[in-house]
Amino acid sequence: MEIKTYKNPETTAKAFADYLCEKQATANRINIALSGGSTPKLLFELLAKKYCENIEWNKFHFYWGDERCVPPTSGESNYGMTHEFLFQHIKIEEENIHRVFGENIPNEEALRYGQLITENLPSINGLPQFDLIILGLGEDGHTASIFPHQMELLTSKEVCEVAEHPTSGQKRITLTGSVISNAKEVCFLVTGQAKAEKVNEILNITGDCQLYPASYIKPTHGELVWYLDKAASGK
Ligand code: 6PG
């Protein structure tokens, strides 16, 4: 595991953008799963503003680690946020963007999306393998849409499952922990003082870390990298 710490959210996002730029230079195709949340949004804005010319976007096939069960036009949609801050500013083919159909019936969509990923990605250890998965960290220790009250989603044999937000009850489609940990590389992008306690417990294996889904994300044959700003790594 690698921990990279930067001054603030902007320099954290820039460091990851630089990494993506470097990684794509020597790749033919990168199957990447995106996250929602504030730090990825910062990353997308930066990529659109400063990197759109020096990245060959059609090398990427974009998927999502989780998506809210809402239409793509909803302000809640992770795809909608990515389209607004990144996709509409870059040259990327439609067929390189594999959004979750948040407007579909959740159980049917979890199946459809899981089958799409299984068909499109190489299979390692009997599970589809992403080249790169970006994750955020919730203040309750959730990641993707695996929340503390649904720890079984970490070890489900499925590729995708229907999750439920603990307070709003909003249905989500999420990759399972098994698929996330099967990736070649998993990068957490976590910024802000509000996450410092959870980051401390997870990285130092202390406190209530066993209650947090993010603690269980351990790539079996891949890399795990934490991109943190100073505030999130404060403890
Ligand atoms: C989502 C994200 C979620 C997010 C965390 C952190 O769909 O909201 O996938 O897992 O990464 O909630 O979000 P913030 O970075 O905005 O705190």
Side-chain angles (χ1 to χ4, degrees):
M1 164 159 62
E2 218 184 326
I3 300 169
K4 296 167 179 266
T5 309
Y6 302 90
K7 199 157 54 82
N8 55 34
E10 290 69 21
T11 45
T12 307
K14 179 177 183 324
F16 191 75
D18 288 340
Y19 171 63
L20 270 191
C21 203
E22 179 197 308
K23 187 178 176 73
Q24 61 86 41
T26 55
N28 294 317
R29 176 186 176 123
I30 300 176
N31 294 313
I32 183 171
L34 303 177
S35 166
S38 55
T39 312
K41 184 172 159 222
L42 211 54
L43 168 68
F44 301 155
E45 284 179 298
L46 183 66
L47 286 170
K49 232 182 283 167
K50 300 255 171 57
Y51 293 73
C52 43
E53 295 314 319
N54 39 17
I55 287 185
E56 289 179 78
W57 293 105
N58 288 308
K59 285 186 174 182
F60 288 92
H61 276 263
F62 291 100
Y63 297 83
W64 276 262
D66 69 320
E67 179 59 280
R68 292 81 180 280
C69 292
V70 295
T73 49
S74 159
E76 287 278 296
S77 165
N78 285 339
Y79 159 78
M81 182 270 280
T82 315
H83 179 263
E84 182 182 351
F85 291 99
L86 179 59
F87 293 150
Q88 66 178 354
H89 307 284
I90 62 174
K91 294 189 204 69
I92 178 101
E93 300 299 323
E94 270 310 300
E95 63 262 21
N96 287 60
I97 298 171
H98 310 277
R99 74 174 180 89
V100 178
F101 296 159
E103 66 275 27
N104 277 4
I105 296 167
N107 290 326
E108 292 176 8
E109 183 55 17
L111 217 56
R112 184 200 73 86
Y113 203 60
Q115 283 166 347
L116 174 81
I117 289 170
T118 304
E119 277 153 29
N120 289 4
L121 270 59
S123 169
I124 310 285
N125 319 316
L127 286 168
Q129 183 176 57
F130 281 94
D131 295 303
L132 177 57
I133 297 183
I134 297 175
L135 293 175
L137 176 69
E139 289 185 39
D140 59 357
H142 83 258
T143 192
S145 280
I146 305 177
F147 293 94
H149 73 298
Q150 291 182 315
M151 298 296 265
E152 69 279 6
L153 300 185
L154 284 165
T155 51
S156 160
K157 290 284 156 270
E158 300 299 326
V159 174
C160 293
E161 289 273 12
V162 178
E164 206 167 89
H165 190 278
T167 45
S168 70
Q170 183 186 60
K171 291 265 190 287
R172 309 265 187 103
I173 306 295
T174 188
L175 289 183
T176 55
S178 325
V179 171
I180 293 172
S181 292
N182 201 44
K184 277 192 189 148
E185 186 173 14
V186 177
C187 293
F188 277 93
L189 299 186
V190 186
T191 59
Q193 196 279 328
K195 309 293 172 71
E197 186 46 45
K198 292 292 181 290
V199 167
N200 169 46
E201 292 179 77
I202 292 167
L203 294 185
N204 293 311
I205 315 178
T206 177
D208 290 330
C209 64
Q210 78 285 356
L211 301 179
Y212 313 142
S215 302
Y216 296 84
I217 300 302
K218 297 185 181 4
T220 30
H221 299 284
E223 301 290 313
L224 174 60
V225 187
W226 287 74
Y227 283 77
L228 303 171
D229 72 345
K230 206 156 160 290
S233 58
K235 303 221 170 156

